[in-house]
Amino acid sequence: MDVEKVVGAGHSRESKSNQTVEYPEFDHAAEKKLVRKLDLYIVPIIMLLYLFSFLDRVNIGNARLYGMEEDLGLEGNQYQTAVSILFVTYLLAEVPSNLVLKKLRPSRWISAITTSWGIIATLTGITQNYSGLIACRVLLGLIEGGLFPGATVYLTLFYTKRELALRIGYLFVSAAIAGAIGGLFGYGIGFMDGIADQRGWRWILIIEGLPSFVLGIATWFLLADSPETAFYLSTEEKQLMKLRRDRQAGQTESAQRFHKADVYAAFKDWKVYAFCVGQFGTDTMLYGYSTFLPTIIKGLGSWSTAQTQALTIPCYCLGALSYVVTARISDSQHRRGLYTVIFGGVSVVGYGILISDASMGVHYFACFLVAMGLYVTVGLPLAWLPTNIPRYGKRTTATGMQLTVGNASGIMAPFLYPSSEGSRFIKGHAVTLAMVGMGNLIFAFMSWYLSKQNDRRRHGEEDAKVAHLSETEILELGDESPKFVYTV
């Protein structure tokens, strides 16, 4: 939002295009203190929730290295089917889950689904056959599907547009950490192979599923439902939260309530569909890489299972670091498209090297390049779209759509890496490269288009469309208002 601020005695004034709005004096030091408090009470819980969610979803990749296929008698593409079937129910749950999030209260809803998936993930470790594995994966996807879209919308209730990318970025840092500790835990738990007459893969699933159950119970008490009901905010801090929200264009009182018209508006907005398709392209990389990195690295050389697990850890650490740094820069500059495209290009180069006939060391280096771009390219668009939709109903629907379509790639990704095509997996890498390239082109176009729209609005070329409306009615238009400035 373009803001011209004058701080006077007891009040400040913001000029938003043709509109002048006066607010009480804004204490920026108090705001920084408030954001630090929000980070203290919100970020650790959200990070842990997504960390264990992601770990429980993809640890089947580590379990594969410890005899899962042999013990369950999996043949042909049955392992790939077990991996991908989760995403069928996962994506079907995302939009409905977001639509009931506020009604059922975030603390209660997120607590319930976390506790439930913790039970399912743990019990996956005692399955005895292919049918049991499929049943657990179907239920796991159905329950877990509500977490990420719910967490994304939840963060928009507390943070401003300029703060959101870093906080959503923390979710992807959690995914990277999950990949790293998944390899570390897999390495350690693998030595439990044979304890109590149970194979190592069973211990991996059982031990890594239990923390979700405990965290789900704790979330009931630790997660606030909204700024107005947050137990950790004082009355003055709650007033400051309201002022922060009101200063964002389109963030009216009415816009924060759920309206069916806003849901329909999301389904009719072509920009939402463009982000959905771009997300599908980049998420192909997310699920292919996260699930099959141990298999890919094992195929690079004569590594033991333990060595393979250890070699995955640095890749994930680099991915987490690159996202944190980039998200901070993105928030400070209020730019999303530029960094999405740059880091998408880095991943494309990584896959190009993996396809090439290079040495083992060069191929391992390529795994780092893919990781470096992975979380930035996947994560920034998930902060980009909601920051451009100020009305809650449209925002929560659009976010659910974006994640639903994006996660649909999880159905396809496992079949890109069949065992029969190891150890090079050229087809899998080539398809992923093409999908990331497609996503990059879409996001580059959206950045250009939104910049052009901002120019039109800045020059008043769309003012005639709302000449007959009052200032209040114009603000209620949300992102369709000529006074709204898109993040590019």
Side-chain angles (χ1 to χ4, degrees), residues 233-241:
L233 295 181
S234 66
T235 301
E236 293 77 13
E237 288 170 332
K238 291 178 181 178
Q239 292 173 345
L240 182 55
M241 287 292 293

Side-chain angles (χ1 to χ4, degrees), residues 146-459:
L147 178 67
F148 192 93
T152 302
V153 171
Y154 182 79
L155 290 172
T156 67
L157 302 178
F158 290 85
Y159 293 100
T160 66
K161 292 172 64 172
R162 292 183 178 271
E163 299 160 353
L164 194 59
L166 180 60
R167 276 72 194 183
I168 290 180
Y170 288 142
L171 297 178
F172 285 94
V173 170
S174 296
I177 294 173
I181 67 173
L184 187 62
F185 284 176
Y187 175 79
I189 299 173
F191 290 106
M192 296 178 65
D193 191 28
I195 293 180
D197 292 326
Q198 300 297 324
R199 293 293 301 273
W201 70 267
R202 294 189 183 277
W203 286 118
I204 288 174
L205 297 179
I206 292 170
I207 292 175
E208 292 182 1
L210 288 173
S212 297
F213 175 78
V214 175
L215 182 61
I217 296 173
T219 299
W220 184 285
F221 305 99
L222 298 177
L223 203 65
D225 292 317
S226 67
E228 292 77 16
T229 61
F231 64 90
Y232 47 81
L233 295 181
S234 66
T235 301
E236 293 77 13
E237 288 170 332
K238 291 178 181 178
Q239 292 173 345
L240 182 55
M241 287 292 293
K242 184 178 184 302
L243 180 58
R244 276 160 48 87
R245 185 191 68 199
D246 291 344
R247 282 172 174 260
Q248 298 184 86
Q251 296 279 5
T252 63
E253 288 289 343
S254 174
Q256 301 315 302
R257 295 192 290 270
F258 184 85
H259 301 282
K260 288 184 178 178
D262 291 332
V263 175
Y264 299 144
F267 284 110
K268 293 187 290 185
D269 190 340
W270 71 268
K271 298 188 295 295
V272 174
Y273 290 99
F275 272 91
C276 288
V277 176
Q279 198 69 45
F280 181 89
T282 57
D283 277 12
T284 302
M285 170 172 60
L286 173 66
Y287 291 115
Y289 188 85
S290 300
T291 305
F292 291 95
L293 182 60
T295 302
I296 293 169
I297 290 180
K298 190 174 182 64
L300 298 181
S302 302
W303 312 112
S304 68
T305 298
Q307 289 172 329
T308 299
Q309 298 284 18
L311 287 170
T312 65
I313 297 172
C315 298
Y316 288 116
C317 291
L318 177 62
L321 179 62
S322 67
Y323 191 99
V324 170
V325 173
T326 306
R328 284 187 176 276
I329 297 172
S330 174
D331 272 345
S332 66
Q333 296 181 353
H334 216 208
R335 296 184 68 93
R336 308 288 190 238
L338 175 65
Y339 297 107
T340 299
V341 173
I342 288 175
F343 280 86
V346 172
S347 290
V348 166
V349 171
Y351 278 109
I353 295 174
L354 283 172
I355 293 170
S356 69
D357 186 15
S359 66
M360 176 187 67
V362 173
H363 280 161
Y364 185 53
F365 169 72
C367 292
F368 282 91
L369 290 181
V370 174
M372 182 183 244
L374 170 61
Y375 298 107
V376 177
T377 308
V378 172
L380 281 187
L382 292 172
W384 190 2
L385 181 60
T387 57
N388 281 328
I389 305 178
R391 296 189 65 83
Y392 173 79
K394 183 177 180 181
R395 182 171 70 244
T396 192
T397 306
T399 299
M401 291 168 62
Q402 183 183 16
L403 286 163
T404 296
V405 176
N407 285 325
S409 65
I411 300 173
M412 173 187 71
F415 294 98
L416 299 178
Y417 293 93
S419 301
S420 60
E421 297 190 7
S423 60
R424 293 286 304 280
F425 298 107
I426 292 177
K427 182 183 76 174
H429 296 326
V431 172
T432 305
L433 184 155
M435 297 300 291
V436 176
M438 177 196 71
N440 249 20
L441 290 175
I442 291 173
F443 292 132
F445 170 77
M446 292 308 301
S447 182
W448 171 83
Y449 173 80
L450 295 176
S451 294
K452 298 297 288 184
Q453 286 298 105
N454 285 344
D455 290 341
R456 286 175 54 83
R457 293 178 177 188
R458 191 176 299 112
H459 295 126

